[in-house]
C-alpha cells in the first residue's frame, strides 16, 4: 500500500499501475496515464508521498485527502498545448485509463455492479455489470458516463466524479457493441478541448461511502466548499412555492389551442377555470411556442415531434401572441411568468449585433451581452424564472463552446446577469456537467431531472429516471422539477405524477385543458391557498434501488424523502413497479433502506397512505409490497414520541407532515405540541396512540378547547379535524402519559 484515504487503499503493481481497493484490492482494474501521442505511463511516488505519472508535457497525480474518504486524480498541462483534438468528444486526448478486464483475481467484491449518468439531457441514469462494458446508452449521445460508480451488495460504494472543470472532463466508456471494449474507462480531457494554457488542471475525485447517496453527498460537499456558494433555499422563487400552470411538451396547450380560442385565450381560460374551482395558480410557464425558431412547429397537429432547431429571436411571434407578453400577463392577473429559452440558430439576426460562435445550424454568444438583453426583456415582461432549456444542445451543438473553460464562463456570466436583475433560472436538458457546475452558481434554483412527460418513453421509465437522477440533484442542493403532468381523470398515471411532484420538494406544474383538471387531486400537493406542502429534501432512489437497477431487473424501485421537526424526523417512502418487462414484482421494504430519511426513534408507525391503515414497527422493521406493472405504494413513517403518541399529519396531502402544513411538532414537559398551518380551511390530522388520546386546541380566534377525536382501539389510529382561522394557524397539544 502506498496511500490511503479512509477505507480506500492505493497500491502499485509490478508494472507501476495504480490499483484502488476497499477491502478487495482492485475495484476498477489497473490505472495508468494514456492518450493521444502519450505512451502508457506508469506511476511513481514522489518525496511528498503523491503518486505521479508523466506524459508528453502533461502530468497526472494522485493524492489522498487527509480528512475525507477521497482520492484525487489531477491532470495538469506542464506547458501550453494546442491541437489537442481527437475528432470525437468521447475520445479523450489525455486520460487516466482504468482497465476492469485486467482486475486481479478477487480484486472487486462478488456481485459488484456499476451505475452512473450518461452525458445526455437530464443526466440519464445508466447501469452496467462489474466489467463496466455493457452500458445501456442512448445512441445519439456520447458514450460518456459521469459520475460513474461501483456498488457492492453490502452497500460499499466508490464513485468517480469531477471536482473541477466538469465541462472539460469526461469518463468515456465503451459504446454498445464496441470492438474496443478492452479500453475500459478513460477519465480525462474530452476530445474537443482543443488547447489548454500552461498550468491548466482538472481534478477527478474517487469517493468512498456506504451507498450511492453518501458518495454523492461527500462529492457535493467538496464542490460547495470549493465554490463557497450555498445551495439555493427551497422557497427561492414563486415557481418553487406555489402550484404553477405549464404549457410545455406534454401539456394540453403545447402548440395546441382550445377550440374557438387562440393560444393566449386558451391559457387564460385554463388558469381562470382553476381559480374558479378553488385552485390558486402562482405562476404560468410559457414554452418555446411563443417565439420563432429556424424550423417552426405548427399548431394543432397530431404530429408530436420536437424539432431541435435553434431560436431566431426571443420575441413573441406575431401570429401567435399579437398582443405580446405584457398583454398576456395582464390577462393572467399579472402573475409571475416562467419563460422558456433555447439554443440559438446560426440564422438568427442576433449575429448582426452580437459576436457568435457558429457551428452548422447552431450558434452561441461569445460574450454575456445577448443574455443580458434577453434578461432585460424578461424583467420588463414580469418574468420571475428564466427557464434555459436545451442546455446540452448549446454545448454539444457548438464545438467552439467546448473549448477549455468556455462553458464555465458562459454559465457564470449568465448567473451574474440573473443576480443583477433579481431573477432565477431553471436548468432544463442539463448534462451531468451542468448539474455539477450548478454548485458554483447562485441563481439556478431548480433543475429538470427526467425526460419529457409522455414523450418517447413510458411514464414508469420516467419515474425511475427522476428518482435516480434526484440522488445527484439532492446531494448538490438543487430542487428537482418532475415536469408537467396532466391531472384530468383520463390520465391513468396522474396520481403517481402528482405524488412524485409533491415529494420532489421542488416545483409542481400542471398542464390540463380548461375545465378538465381534477382539482381535488392537485390539492393533495398544496394548501387551499396554493402553497406547496413538501418534504425538506427531494425524494430520491434508495441505495438499494441504485444497486438493484429496477428498470432492468425484477426489483421494485423505492424512493424516500423526509421532513424534520423538533420532535424528530418523518419519512416518506414510495415504491413502484417500473420494470421494463412489465411483470408483477414484490419486495420487503426495510426501514433501514430509507437511510437518513428514517426516523431515529426506537419505534415508528408506518401509515399506508392509500389504504389509510397504520401499524407500529420497531426501528429495524419493515413491510412487504407486491405490485402489478406500473403499480405503486406510498407509506409515511412517523416517530413514536414520548407518551406513546405519533402524529402522521394531514392524510389528504402527500407530504402529510410537510412544514407548510405541520409547522412543527415539539415534545416537552407540557406534552406533544403540533402547530397546524392553513388558509381558512378545515384540516384533518391523523396519527397513532396506544390508548385514546386527548387533544386541546387554540388559536388567536378561538378559546382553548378539547378537540373531538375518533380512535380505533384495534390499530391505534386516531383522527381529528380543526379549523384554521384568519391567523393561519392552530395549535394542538396532547399531554404526556406515564
Amino acid at each position: 500500500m502506498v496511500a490511503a484515504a479512509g477505507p480506500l487503499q492505493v497500491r502499485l503493481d509490478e508494472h507501476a499501475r495504480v490499483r484502488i481497493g476497499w477491502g478487495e484490492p482492485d475495484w476498477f482494474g489497473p490505472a495508468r496515464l494514456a492518450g493521444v501521442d502519450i505512451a502508457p505511463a506508469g506511476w511513481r511516488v514522489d518525496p511528498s508521498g503523491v503518486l505521479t505519472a508523466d506524459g508528453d508535457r502533461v502530468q497526472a497525480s494522485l493524492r489522498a485527502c487527509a480528512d475525507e474518504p477521497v482520492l484525487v486524480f489531477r491532470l495538469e498541462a506542464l506547458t501550453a498545448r494546442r491541437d489537442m483534438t481527437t475528432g470525437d468528444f468521447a475520445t479523450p486526448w489525455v486520460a487516466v485509463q482504468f482497465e476492469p478486464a485486467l482486475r486481479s483475481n478477487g480484486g472487486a467484491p462478488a456481485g459488484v455492479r456499476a451505475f452512473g449518468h450518461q452525458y445526455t439531457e437530464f443526466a440519464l441514469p445508466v447501469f452496467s455489470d462489474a466489467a463496466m462494458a455493457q452500458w445501456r446508452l442512448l445512441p445519439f449521445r456520447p458514450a460518456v458516463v459521469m459520475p460513474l460508480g461501483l456498488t457492492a451488495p453490502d452497500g460499499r460504494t466508490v464513485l468517480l466524479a469531477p471536482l473541477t472543470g466538469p465541462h472539460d472532463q469526461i469518463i468515456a466508456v465503451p459504446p454498445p457493441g464496441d470492438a474496443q471494449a478492452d479500453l475500459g474507462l478513460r477519465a480525462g480531457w474530452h476530445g474537443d478541448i482543443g488547447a489548454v494554457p500552461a498550468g491548466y488542471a482538472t481534478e477527478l475525485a474517487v469517493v468512498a461511502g456506504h451507498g450511492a447517496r453518501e458518495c454523492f453527498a461527500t462529492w457535493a460537499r467538496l464542490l460547495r466548499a470549493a465554490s463557497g456558494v450555498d445551495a439555493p433555499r427551497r422557497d427561492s422563487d414563486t415557481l418553487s412555492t406555489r402550484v404553477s400552470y405549464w404549457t410545455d411538451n406534454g401539456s394540453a396547450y403545447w402548440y395546441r389551442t382550445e377550440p374557438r380560442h387562440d393560444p393566449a385565450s386558451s391559457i387564460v381560460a385554463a388558469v381562470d377555470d382553476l381559480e374558479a374551482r378553488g385552485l390558486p395558480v402562482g405562476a404560468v410557464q410559457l414554452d418555446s411556442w411563443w417565439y420563432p425558431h429556424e424550423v417552426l412547429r405548427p399548431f394543432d397537429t397530431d404530429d408530436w415531434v420536437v424539432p431541435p432547431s435553434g431560436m431566431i429571436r426571443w420575441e413573441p411571434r406575431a401570429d401567435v401572441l399579437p398582443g405580446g407578453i405584457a398583454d398576456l400577463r395582464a390577462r393572467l392577473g399579472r402573475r409571475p411568468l416562467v419563460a422558456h429559452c433555447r439554443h440559438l440558430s446560426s440564422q438568427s439576426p442576433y449575429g448582426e449585433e452580437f459576436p457568435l460562435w457558429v457551428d452548422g445550424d447552431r450558434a452561441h454568444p461569445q460574450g454575456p451581452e445577448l443574455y443580458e438583453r434577453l434578461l432585460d426583456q424578461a424583467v420588463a415582461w414580469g418574468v420571475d424564472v428564466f427557464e434555459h432549456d436545451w442546455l446540452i444542445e448549446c454545448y454539444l451543438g457548438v464545438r467552439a463552446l467546448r473549448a477549455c473553460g468556455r462553458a464555465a464562463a458562459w454559465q457564470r456570466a449568465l448567473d451574474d446577469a440573473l443576480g443583477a436583475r433579481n431573477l432565477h433560472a431553471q436548468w432544463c436538458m442539463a448534462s451531468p456537467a451542468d448539474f455539477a457546475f450548478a454548485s458554483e452558481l447562485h441563481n439556478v434554483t431548480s433543475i429538470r431531472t427526467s425526460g419529457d412527460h409522455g414523450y418517447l418513453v413510458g411514464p414508469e421509465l420516467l419515474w425511475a429516471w427522476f428518482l435516480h437522477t434526484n440522488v445527484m440533484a439532492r446531494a448538490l442542493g438543487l430542487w428537482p422539477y418532475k415536469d408537467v403532468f396532466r391531472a384530468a381523470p383520463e390520465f391513468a398515471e396522474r396520481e403517481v405524477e402528482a405524488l412524485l411532484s409533491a415529494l420532489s420538494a421542488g416545483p409542481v406544474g400542471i398542464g390540463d385543458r380548461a375545465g378538465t383538471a381534477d382539482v381535488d387531486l392537485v390539492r393533495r400537493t398544496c394548501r387551499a391557498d396554493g402553497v406547496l406542502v413538501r418534504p425538506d429534501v427531494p425524494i430520491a432512489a434508495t441505495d438499494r434501488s441504485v444497486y438493484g437497477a429496477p428498470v432492468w431487473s425484477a426489483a421494485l424501485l423505492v424512493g424516500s424523502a423526509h421532513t424534520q421537526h423538533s420532535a424528530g424526523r418523518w419519512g416518506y417512502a414510495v415504491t413502484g413497479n417500473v420494470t421494463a418487462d412489465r411483470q408483477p414484482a414484490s419486495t420487503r421494504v426495510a426501514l433501514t433502506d430509507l437511510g437518513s430519511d428514517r426516523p431515529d426513534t426506537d419505534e415508528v408507525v408506518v401509515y399506508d397512505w392509500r389504504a389509510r391503515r397504520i401499524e407500529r414497527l420497531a426501528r429495524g422493521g419493515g413491510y412487504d409490497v407486491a405490485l402489478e406493472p406500473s403499480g405503486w405504494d406510498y407509506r409515511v413513517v412517523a416517530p413514536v414520541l414520548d407518551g406513546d403518541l405519533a402524529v402522521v399529519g394531514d392524510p389528504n396531502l402527500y407530504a402529510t407532515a410537510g412544514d407548510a402544513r405541520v409547522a412543527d411538532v415539539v415534545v416537552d414537559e407540557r406534552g406533544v405540541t403540533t402547530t397546524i398551518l392553513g388558509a381558512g380551511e378545515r384540516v384533518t390530522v391523523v396519527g397513532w396512540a396506544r390508548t385514546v388520546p386527548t387533544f386541546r386546541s387554540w388559536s388567536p380566534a378561538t378559546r382553548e378547547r378539547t378537540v373531538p377525536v375518533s380512535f380505533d382501539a384495534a390499530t391505534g389510529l386516531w383522527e381529528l379535524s380543526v379549523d384554521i382561522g384568519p391567523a393561519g394557524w392552530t395549535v394542538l397539544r396532547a399531554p404526556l402519559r406515564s
Side-chain angles (χ1 to χ4, degrees):
M1 184 181 72
V2 295
L8 293 175
Q9 297 181 338
V10 178
R11 293 175 173 83
L12 291 183
D13 66 16
E14 65 275 18
H15 302 291
R17 298 174 300 191
V18 161
R19 296 182 186 260
I20 299 171
W22 178 354
E24 299 81 2
D26 193 16
W27 278 47
F28 289 94
R32 59 187 179 180
L33 181 66
V36 176
D37 298 327
I38 296 177
W43 301 82
R44 67 181 188 279
V45 183
D46 70 14
S48 65
V50 175
L51 284 77
T52 59
D54 296 320
D56 180 17
R57 291 178 285 166
V58 176
Q59 185 178 80
S61 64
L62 174 63
R63 72 178 190 274
C65 292
D67 53 356
E68 296 275 7
V70 176
L71 303 169
V72 178
F73 282 101
R74 180 181 176 88
L75 289 176
E76 182 174 358
L78 301 178
T79 65
R81 294 299 308 254
R82 296 186 178 277
D83 301 321
M84 295 172 54
T85 58
T86 65
D88 175 29
F89 175 79
T91 301
W93 180 83
V94 61
V96 175
Q97 180 175 331
F98 298 88
E99 299 177 272
L102 299 181
R103 281 191 186 104
S104 56
N105 290 333
V112 72
R113 296 175 181 175
F115 67 93
H117 295 273
Q118 188 187 359
Y119 213 100
T120 67
E121 50 272 68
F122 314 115
L124 175 71
V126 289
F127 303 88
S128 184
D129 58 8
M132 292 182 279
Q134 300 296 322
W135 300 90
R136 296 176 184 266
L137 305 177
L138 293 181
F140 56 87
R141 292 302 184 201
V144 171
V145 176
M146 183 181 77
L148 180 154
L150 283 173
T151 185
D154 62 6
R156 286 176 298 153
T157 303
V158 181
L159 184 73
L160 305 178
L163 280 182
T164 63
H167 290 99
D168 297 342
Q169 295 191 66
I170 58 171
I171 303 175
V173 301
D178 188 6
Q180 294 183 310
D182 58 347
L183 284 176
L185 312 178
R186 290 156 291 158
W189 298 341
H190 67 71
D192 291 331
I193 200 165
V196 296
Y200 178 74
T202 59
E203 293 186 337
L204 179 82
V206 184
V207 182
H210 291 281
R213 285 188 177 186
E214 184 175 306
C215 287
F216 274 104
T218 298
W219 170 58
R221 185 173 66 252
L222 294 173
L223 291 177
R224 290 283 181 189
S227 71
V229 177
D230 292 334
R233 293 179 294 106
R234 189 186 54 178
D235 56 351
S236 296
D237 50 48
T238 301
L239 179 59
S240 298
T241 55
R242 295 177 182 270
V243 172
S244 49
Y245 185 82
W246 287 66
T247 64
D248 62 336
N249 189 8
S251 68
Y253 300 131
W254 187 70
Y255 289 95
R256 284 189 178 276
T257 53
E258 189 68 18
R260 297 181 299 279
H261 284 268
D262 59 20
S265 62
S266 297
I267 300 166
V268 172
V271 173
D272 286 350
D273 168 73
L274 292 170
E275 289 278 350
R277 292 194 288 143
L279 182 67
V281 174
V284 176
Q285 186 261 5
L286 308 181
D287 207 69
S288 61
W289 49 265
W290 65 271
Y291 57 84
H293 313 155
E294 183 177 346
V295 178
L296 292 178
R297 188 189 190 284
F299 272 72
D300 298 311
T301 175
D302 292 329
D303 185 18
W304 198 358
V305 295
V306 185
S309 64
M311 177 178 71
I312 295 296
R313 296 189 75 91
W314 205 59
E315 296 175 358
R317 289 171 54 176
D319 62 329
V320 174
L321 287 181
I325 299 292
D327 174 72
L328 174 57
R329 183 171 179 243
R331 295 169 65 184
L332 288 168
R334 300 191 62 78
R335 287 178 175 82
L337 300 178
V338 181
H340 180 283
C341 184
R342 63 164 58 192
H343 59 294
L344 194 62
S345 167
S346 59
Q347 302 303 309
S348 170
Y350 287 135
E352 300 172 6
E353 301 179 72
F354 306 98
L356 307 176
W357 290 302
V358 175
D359 189 347
D361 64 348
R362 309 290 171 86
H364 193 84
Q366 294 186 23
E369 295 82 10
L370 175 55
Y371 278 105
E372 291 170 350
R373 162 85 64 83
L374 304 186
L375 295 180
D376 284 339
Q377 293 173 198
V379 171
W381 292 337
V383 171
D384 188 49
V385 177
F386 183 75
E387 181 201 359
H388 202 319
D389 201 354
W390 298 78
L391 285 172
I392 198 164
E393 290 292 340
C394 291
Y395 185 69
L396 293 182
V398 178
R399 183 168 181 171
L401 187 59
R402 300 195 290 277
C404 176
R406 282 185 179 169
W410 154 47
Q411 294 187 1
R412 281 198 187 99
L414 175 54
D415 186 56
D416 289 343
L418 288 163
R421 293 158 179 80
N422 196 29
L423 296 176
H424 299 98
Q426 180 183 97
W427 266 186
C428 194
M429 291 180 65
S431 74
D434 298 320
F435 275 74
F437 195 71
S439 65
E440 300 191 28
L441 306 178
H442 296 267
N443 301 295
V444 175
T445 52
S446 60
I447 191 165
R448 274 274 303 277
T449 53
S450 64
D452 285 4
H453 173 69
Y455 184 67
L456 292 181
V457 299
E460 303 88 354
L461 297 182
L462 294 176
W463 302 339
W465 191 336
F466 176 70
L467 290 175
H468 283 295
T469 304
N470 280 3
V471 176
M472 178 165 57
R474 171 171 161 168
L476 290 165
L478 302 173
W479 300 104
Y481 176 44
K482 173 63 185 73
D483 194 17
V484 66
F485 69 92
R486 307 279 286 276
E490 65 196 83
F491 295 95
E493 70 277 8
R494 64 200 182 105
E495 182 93 68
V496 185
E497 296 289 333
L499 169 65
L500 294 179
S501 293
L503 297 184
S504 75
V508 173
I510 59 172
D512 292 278
R513 290 183 58 192
T516 65
D518 182 343
V519 169
D520 291 336
L521 176 93
V522 182
R523 279 285 304 276
R524 296 170 195 164
T525 72
C526 64
R527 301 187 323 209
D529 55 2
V531 171
L532 297 172
V533 182
R534 303 160 293 170
D536 291 353
V537 297
I539 187 170
T542 62
D543 291 332
R544 181 180 169 193
S545 289
V546 173
Y547 178 81
V551 169
W552 310 115
S553 70
L556 293 178
L557 174 66
V558 180
S560 64
H562 72 259
T563 294
Q564 183 69 41
H565 290 305
S566 297
R569 181 157 291 187
W570 275 246
Y572 311 100
V574 176
T575 305
N577 186 341
V578 299
T579 53
D581 62 4
R582 299 193 61 76
Q583 294 297 313
S586 61
T587 194
R588 182 164 181 80
V589 178
L591 296 180
T592 53
D593 291 343
L594 308 186
S596 62
D597 295 323
R598 177 182 58 161
D600 57 5
T601 50
D602 291 336
E603 289 188 317
V604 301
V605 294
V606 177
Y607 181 71
D608 185 332
W609 188 90
R610 300 187 74 183
R612 298 299 199 254
R613 292 195 297 262
I614 200 164
E615 63 176 327
R616 187 177 85 257
L617 295 175
R619 187 167 180 262
Y623 55 92
D624 297 318
V625 178
L627 298 172
E628 295 298 313
S630 304
W632 61 282
D633 176 89
Y634 177 43
R635 312 285 174 114
V636 180
V637 185
V640 174
L641 306 173
D642 292 347
D644 281 337
L645 180 80
V647 178
V648 171
D650 184 347
N652 297 313
L653 297 174
Y654 295 121
T656 60
D659 62 0
R661 172 64 85 209
V662 178
D664 201 8
V665 181
V666 177
V667 179
D668 56 25
E669 66 280 359
R670 297 172 297 175
V672 178
T673 302
T674 305
T675 303
I676 308 296
L677 304 181
E681 54 195 312
R682 187 167 179 80
V683 175
T684 299
V685 183
V686 299
W688 174 90
R690 189 177 301 278
T691 59
V692 59
T694 300
F695 286 92
R696 296 186 66 78
S697 73
W698 69 91
S699 69
T702 62
R703 294 181 178 180
E704 184 173 344
R705 64 185 183 88
T706 300
V707 182
V709 177
S710 66
F711 181 70
D712 183 343
T715 64
L717 180 66
W718 58 260
E719 179 178 322
L720 59 81
S721 296
V722 293
D723 292 312
I724 310 298
W729 58 268
T730 293
V731 170
L732 292 169
R733 180 173 293 152
L736 297 181
R737 297 185 178 186
S738 58

